[in-house]
Amino acid sequence: MLTLLLEQYQRTVRLQRGENKVYNSDHRPGNANSHTWRSCNDKSNTTNNNSSNSRLTHLFTYRFGRMLHLALFYFATILTLASTQTTEQLQIVPIAGESTFFYVGCYTARTDLLQESIYSKTPQTCVEICEHQKFSYAILSAERCFCTNNVLSKERQDDKLCNTRCLANKSQYCGGVGVHSYYSTIWATQTVPRNLRVANATENTITIAWDMHVSPSKAFVAAAEEAAIKSMKEITNFLIRTHILHTYSTLPFFPQPEFIVQAMETSIEITDLHPATEYNITVEAMCEQEVCGNDSLLASTEVGVPSPPPSQPRVIRTTDSTMTIEIKPLRNDNGPITKVLVIVERLDDALSQTFDTELLGSWPKAQEDGLPYYIAAQLDYDGPEDNSIRQFIVGDGKRYGPYINVPLNTTGVDIHFSLGVISTLNGVTKTLYTRGSHDQHSITLENFTYATFEPGRASIIALAVTCTVFAICFVLSVFTYFYLRYKTCQARGAMNRNAHEMTMQQPIIERENNGFMMEDELPPAENFRQQLDLLISALDASQRLPRNALRMNVNDVIAEGRYGEVITGKFISTALPEASADCQLHVLALDDLQGKEQAHLLRDFRNLSRLQRHEHLLDFYGISASSDWFYLVFEHQNVSLKRRLIESRRVPSSAPMQRITALSEELVLQWIYEIASALEYISSCKVVHKQLCSHNIFVTADAKLKVSLFGAIPFVQNQKKIDITRWLAPEALRYQHFSVKSDVWSFACVAWECCTLGGTLYANITNTQQLLEAIKSGSRPAQPTFVFQDLYQLLLNCWQLEPSERINFDEIAYNVRQLMTSPRHALCFDRSAETSDNSVLDTLPYYMPMLEMHN
């Protein structure tokens, strides 16, 4: 009302000042209520200024009195309503075109909203903006407006701190120094929970989250608002229900349990779900045992590893270059079956070895890496008609997916076929590999079809004919038996009369335990020489060493390699910093290498040529070859890691805190990291060490470690060769199967030796069979008291019985770097006093069984 009076007064003042517009009530003839504006320069206006001013003054006086009368009337009406108001609560009724909002409270200023400000002078304008964008709360700071769905109750401040008045309405407050004023929108009282969403999903869990609901403050400007807030109910908890909509599993499902969480919770992890399954998740807000709001969403778990494993394919036909296999229908309860890999394995020894999935690839890659297994085809299974009994010809020379199905050489070679089941859903892929066996070549009862006789005379005739044929065969076999026996007796008599010394008429071909001839599996001697010459020619010119550059100590045999002895010597070269260096020479007599040794030498030499110089590997100087001898020349170091660790021990004394070693914790962790760094590099080059132990790792003069790569095992006392079985992984002990994962196991054994200053692995076990049984039963090298849990847990992660569950070398290197930031939290070499609960055998490696130099 006051606003209308003010506008009328300003209009009158403008008219009295003689502005260029006057009010005219005679805009149209015959229409007394029509009003318009007309220019003062209109010549039809003959009224003088004095009479005009007098009439306008009278008009303002009249209208001012009328407005004052209306104001008094409305004021009296409001007083009457206030005096007659009953105890009934007032309800807030929003005016058409306006928003109803509540003051929530004064909260600490948020810095995360500074980039989202909007210009607004009043709370109502800010609320309307936030309501249009469907936010629950509007935040005001002077003339800046923010929108949010979250209110942090712990940031609540005293309302008196929000003392900055709004620019367009001084009766309202818009924040203060370091604080913001919060107002609720219509969305604050809508269905809860708000902004329900999926936060995370795994194979068996789904985590959902929602925004926290905060009730508005009871300190409001209007009494009607306060009454409305009192009618609102508080949320006590949330009820979560889960229902299955779609799944790939054929297994029966039990009803999913319901979950109840407190009102202050904003997320929950729903567990025990099935992989690759779509769920409808409903969240209900409970207010005093009643549902006061709900929301739902659709969420899916990730695809899992295919299960159950498929049956192995069956070989039904074989030719010289192909094999036809039969693949039975597949089932996957953990997701869809998208593709199937056909894997070919060539068995070249008597031991059954599993293929390494990390090295598995195409046929050209297998040839390059020297692997006996490869992927022959990738078959699509994306249609319902694909998952039926399928026959596939392995070796037909066609391309299936990214793989070439190269022709097979089935002559005298045992070939097995395995399957890889690939399941892909929502960008996540899981693969299950199965292993074929020799049973897939066997003929089982399911391959036979039985003939039945029809009842009647025809069946009697067929049975009689069958019996007659069997009787004739039986008589002939008896006659043949006695005839051959008669001839054999005559031959023996002749031999007794004319006996001669037995001589070998034909060369005997050596066979392995599996019955396959070695000559068919290994390259002939000429091919071996050709391949070796190709590898030598591929070396850098600086690595092809002349014989006069070597000075050999032929009587100083320090180790036994896989292909011959290792001696010491000198390597003379202008490329070296000091013109000469100590070296060790692997002496190979090529004419003495037979069969499998030739193939292994080519593979190891090919792997060696891939490697570049590495600071923690013994340098490979090159090769020197003649017609009879072949020398591999490496850097030579005198002190092994095993020897350095044992020599660092200190004899115990009465000093209460004397250290048990001259080595620092930092140096030991640095050594472990250097070994991991070297093995990480060779594994990235797809090279497997196979013989890693503390005896073929050496310490340089500047306390750096270098790993010997070519598989030489040093001799110890009295030319006794070291037994490295204590360092081998269980699959290497049992099946002679070596991989990067078996190197991970051996690395952990060496790291344990570093921590125990050269302690003996499994000191109480004397033979390989006992060692294998102990490992299978869960026995691992013990945790000394001076090795703390973080470091020992890293070793346990390397000693997982299943190779696929062991961590990789890049993870090992990263974890060791983390431990190096605080070495004495990983291990501590300070001597502790012996107590009843603390045996000196655990605290002093000096007293460990003295088997260290023999094992």
Side-chain angles (χ1 to χ4, degrees):
M1 187 62 65
L2 294 177
T3 304
L4 293 175
L5 291 175
L6 181 61
E7 291 179 355
Q8 182 66 28
Y9 175 74
Q10 291 175 347
R11 185 183 302 170
T12 305
V13 170
R14 287 197 303 268
L15 292 174
Q16 289 179 344
R17 289 179 178 177
E19 293 181 352
N20 62 344
K21 292 184 183 293
V22 295
Y23 189 80
N24 184 15
S25 60
D26 298 329
H27 180 57
R28 287 197 303 266
N31 187 3
N33 296 326
S34 299
H35 303 282
T36 188
W37 294 99
R38 185 164 55 87
S39 173
C40 290
N41 296 327
D42 193 348
K43 294 182 179 181
S44 63
N45 185 11
T46 58
T47 308
N48 56 34
N49 289 336
N50 291 332
S51 62
S52 176
N53 290 340
S54 175
R55 186 177 62 180
L56 289 174
T57 301
H58 176 72
L59 179 62
F60 171 72
T61 303
Y62 169 74
R63 293 199 172 184
F64 181 81
R66 187 173 179 181
M67 289 293 182
L68 182 60
H69 177 71
L70 290 174
L72 292 175
F73 174 77
Y74 284 125
F75 181 74
T77 302
I78 292 174
L79 291 178
T80 304
L81 290 174
S83 61
T84 59
Q85 182 179 6
T86 63
T87 60
E88 183 181 38
Q89 294 182 349
L90 292 176
Q91 301 295 328
I92 301 176
V93 180
I95 303 173
E98 297 184 358
S99 296
T100 301
F101 59 92
F102 307 132
Y103 173 67
V104 177
C106 186
Y107 290 81
T108 304
R110 293 175 58 173
T111 58
D112 58 324
L113 301 175
L114 296 179
Q115 303 299 326
E116 304 175 7
S117 62
I118 306 170
Y119 183 75
S120 176
K121 292 184 178 181
T122 62
Q124 181 173 346
T125 303
C126 183
V127 167
E128 290 176 351
I129 294 173
C130 294
E131 281 182 354
H132 180 71
Q133 300 179 7
K134 295 187 177 181
F135 282 96
S136 300
Y137 300 99
I139 305 175
L140 274 168
S141 175
E143 75 279 5
R144 291 184 300 171
C145 170
F146 312 98
C147 301
T148 185
N149 281 321
N150 298 321
V151 176
L152 302 178
S153 57
K154 62 181 180 180
E155 303 292 340
R156 181 66 186 270
Q157 302 293 337
D158 189 352
D159 292 338
K160 295 181 181 180
L161 297 178
C162 291
N163 52 15
T164 300
R165 297 184 180 273
C166 300
L167 296 180
N169 190 345
K170 300 298 182 181
S171 63
Q172 295 176 318
Y173 294 93
C174 295
V177 179
V179 291
H180 290 164
S181 295
Y182 279 64
Y183 294 87
S184 67
T185 69
I186 60 174
W187 301 105
T189 58
Q190 297 298 315
T191 301
V192 290
R194 296 186 306 275
N195 192 22
L196 184 63
R197 59 195 180 276
V198 177
N200 187 34
T202 64
E203 291 183 18
N204 304 107
T205 64
I206 294 177
T207 302
I208 60 173
W210 58 88
D211 294 336
M212 179 179 292
H213 176 78
V214 178
S215 299
S217 170
K218 294 183 179 181
F220 302 126
V221 178
E225 296 174 355
E226 182 177 3
I229 295 304
K230 287 181 179 179
S231 64
M232 297 175 60
K233 297 180 180 180
E234 292 289 337
I235 298 175
T236 57
N237 48 52
F238 292 100
L239 177 63
I240 295 93
R241 293 189 176 96
T242 307
H243 301 282
I244 297 177
L245 296 181
H246 178 264
T247 183
Y248 293 91
S249 177
T250 58
L251 301 175
F253 283 91
F254 297 98
Q256 293 292 329
E258 298 179 352
F259 300 92
I260 298 178
V261 297
Q262 299 298 320
M264 298 304 295
E265 298 291 336
T266 58
S267 65
I268 183 177
E269 183 182 42
I270 305 174
T271 58
D272 297 330
L273 303 179
H274 198 79
T277 302
E278 185 179 17
Y279 292 88
N280 180 25
I281 303 176
T282 303
V283 180
E284 297 180 349
M286 306 300 293
C287 302
E288 299 177 359
Q289 307 302 322
E290 296 181 358
V291 178
C292 53
N294 64 81
D295 198 359
S296 63
L297 55 77
L298 303 181
S300 299
T301 52
E302 283 189 357
V303 64
V305 176
S307 177
S311 58
Q312 62 179 343
R314 185 171 60 87
V315 178
I316 57 178
R317 281 186 299 275
T318 302
T319 66
D320 292 339
S321 61
T322 65
M323 283 189 176
T324 303
I325 61 175
E326 182 181 83
I327 304 175
K328 295 182 179 180
L330 308 177
R331 181 167 67 93
N332 181 17
D333 292 330
N334 293 339
I337 299 176
T338 52
K339 297 182 185 299
V340 171
L341 303 177
V342 178
I343 302 167
V344 178
E345 298 180 79
R346 295 173 59 91
L347 301 186
D348 56 359
D349 52 27
L351 298 174
S352 177
Q353 303 177 8
T354 58
F355 52 80
D356 191 338
T357 57
E358 294 184 358
L359 302 179
L360 189 61
S362 62
W363 183 80
K365 181 177 180 297
Q367 291 296 106
E368 179 184 354
D369 297 340
L371 299 175
Y373 46 82
Y374 63 93
I375 300 176
Q378 177 179 284
L379 307 179
D380 293 330
Y381 266 72
D382 49 2
E385 68 282 355
D386 294 334
N387 195 13
S388 58
I389 297 179
R390 301 178 64 169
Q391 292 186 0
F392 179 74
I393 302 175
V394 182
D396 61 2
K398 299 179 182 179
R399 176 179 289 274
Y400 295 89
Y403 304 104
I404 300 176
N405 188 14
V406 298
L408 303 174
N409 181 13
T410 61
T411 305
V413 179
D414 193 11
I415 299 178
H416 289 176
F417 300 99
S418 303
L419 297 180
V421 182
I422 301 176
S423 180
T424 302
L425 184 65
N426 298 329
V428 179
T429 300
K430 298 293 178 65
T431 305
L432 171 68
Y433 294 97
T434 62
R435 181 63 193 273
S437 67
H438 194 70
D439 294 339
Q440 61 190 192
H441 295 272
S442 303
I443 299 178
T444 60
L445 291 178
E446 65 181 8
N447 304 133
F448 291 97
T449 58
Y450 296 92
T452 60
F453 293 107
E454 295 294 334
R457 183 177 181 85
S459 61
I460 297 175
I461 295 175
L463 182 59
V465 172
T466 303
C467 294
T468 302
V469 171
F470 273 104
I472 294 172
C473 293
F474 176 74
V475 172
L476 290 176
S477 63
V478 172
F479 176 77
T480 304
Y481 167 74
F482 284 106
Y483 175 77
L484 293 176
R485 185 174 180 179
Y486 171 75
K487 288 294 185 180
T488 304
C489 292
Q490 284 187 338
R492 287 178 180 176
M495 291 177 61
N496 292 332
R497 292 189 299 270
N498 187 19
H500 297 278
E501 182 181 358
M502 294 182 62
T503 57
M504 182 172 63
Q505 302 298 325
Q506 294 180 353
I508 298 176
I509 299 177
E510 182 181 358
R511 295 174 180 263
E512 289 189 318
N513 295 332
N514 59 6
F516 294 104
M517 294 183 296
M518 297 171 59
E519 294 182 357
D520 292 336
E521 300 169 3
L522 298 171
E526 298 80 6
N527 191 21
F528 166 69
R529 289 283 188 171
Q530 293 174 3
Q531 294 188 42
L532 185 60
D533 291 340
L534 288 176
L535 292 175
I536 294 174
S537 61
L539 291 175
D540 188 80
S542 62
Q543 292 182 320
R544 295 194 289 271
L545 309 179
R547 178 64 181 81
N548 57 8
L550 302 176
R551 302 291 184 268
M552 304 181 191
N553 302 324
V554 294
N555 295 324
D556 187 14
V557 181
I558 61 173
E560 180 181 350
R562 174 178 290 178
Y563 312 107
E565 295 179 338
V566 181
I567 62 176
T568 61
K570 284 278 188 181
F571 171 51
I572 302 173
S573 174
T574 56
L576 296 174
E578 299 180 359
S580 67
D582 293 335
C583 65
Q584 60 182 26
L585 299 93
H586 295 245
V587 184
L588 282 68
L590 300 181
D591 293 337
D592 295 338
L593 296 180
Q594 300 295 330
K596 185 179 291 188
E597 292 178 342
Q598 294 178 352
H600 288 165
L601 176 59
L602 291 175
R603 181 192 60 194
D604 291 347
F605 194 22
R606 188 180 296 111
N607 292 338
L608 182 63
S609 62
R610 293 178 188 170
L611 301 177
Q612 302 296 325
R613 187 181 182 280
H614 192 276
E615 59 178 337
H616 298 302
L617 295 177
L618 286 181
D619 290 341
F620 173 55
Y621 293 145
I623 59 100
S624 179
S626 64
S627 58
D628 299 326
W629 297 95
F630 188 81
Y631 303 96
L632 292 169
V633 186
F634 290 87
E635 174 190 2
H636 178 61
Q637 294 291 338
N638 291 315
V639 182
S640 68
L641 175 61
K642 187 77 166 184
R643 173 184 165 188
R644 182 69 179 88
L645 291 169
I646 294 175
E647 291 177 350
S648 71
R649 300 178 183 179
R650 290 180 174 175
V651 179
S653 67
S654 58
M657 285 301 292
Q658 181 184 359
R659 292 174 60 79
I660 60 180
T661 178
L663 302 177
S664 65
E665 292 84 358
E666 293 86 353
L667 181 58
V668 171
L669 289 178
Q670 177 67 30
W671 282 354
I672 296 175
Y673 174 73
E674 290 174 359
I675 301 171
S677 176
L679 294 174
E680 181 184 10
Y681 169 69
I682 67 173
S683 64
S684 67
C685 297
K686 294 183 173 55
V687 177
V688 181
H689 192 287
K690 298 183 181 180
Q691 294 181 327
L692 181 68
C693 66
S694 58
H695 294 279
N696 52 27
I697 300 175
F698 298 92
V699 184
T700 64
D702 55 352
K704 300 293 184 182
L705 295 190
K706 289 202 171 186
V707 179
S708 175
L709 184 62
F710 202 66
I713 304 301
F715 291 121
V716 288
Q717 302 169 357
N718 301 323
Q719 293 294 303
K720 180 181 178 181
K721 184 180 177 181
I722 298 170
D723 182 13
I724 66 168
T725 56
R726 297 175 185 272
W727 287 267
L728 295 182
E731 66 272 15
L733 282 171
R734 186 173 184 181
Y735 301 116
Q736 296 299 306
H737 174 58
F738 295 92
S739 65
V740 174
K741 296 299 185 179
S742 64
D743 283 350
V744 170
W745 180 289
S746 301
F747 161 80
C749 294
V750 176
W752 183 87
E753 289 182 280
C754 293
C755 297
T756 57
L757 305 177
T760 302
L761 293 156
Y762 311 102
N764 299 325
I765 298 177
T766 57
N767 60 63
T768 302
Q769 185 60 34
Q770 291 180 358
L771 177 60
L772 186 58
E773 293 297 329
I775 292 175
K776 290 172 60 179
S777 63
S779 177
R780 299 293 184 270
Q783 177 185 5
T785 56
F786 48 83
V787 177
F788 301 136
Q789 186 60 35
D790 289 345
L791 178 54
Y792 188 68
Q793 184 60 49
L794 175 62
L795 303 184
L796 292 179
N797 294 339
C798 301
W799 286 328
Q800 294 294 325
L801 193 61
E802 180 63 33
S804 60
E805 297 179 359
R806 298 170 198 162
I807 59 178
N808 299 322
F809 279 116
D810 53 350
E811 300 176 74
I812 294 173
Y814 173 79
N815 290 330
V816 176
R817 284 198 303 270
Q818 296 297 106
L819 294 175
M820 291 171 61
T821 59
S822 181
R824 292 178 68 84
H825 286 85
L827 71 162
C828 179
F829 292 136
D830 292 339
R831 189 187 309 279
S832 58
E834 182 176 3
T835 63
S836 58
D837 299 331
N838 181 22
S839 172
V840 74
L841 293 176
D842 295 331
T843 60
L844 303 179
Y846 182 82
Y847 288 118
M848 284 185 170
M850 293 302 295
L851 302 174
E852 290 84 349
M853 296 305 296
H854 302 282
N855 295 280

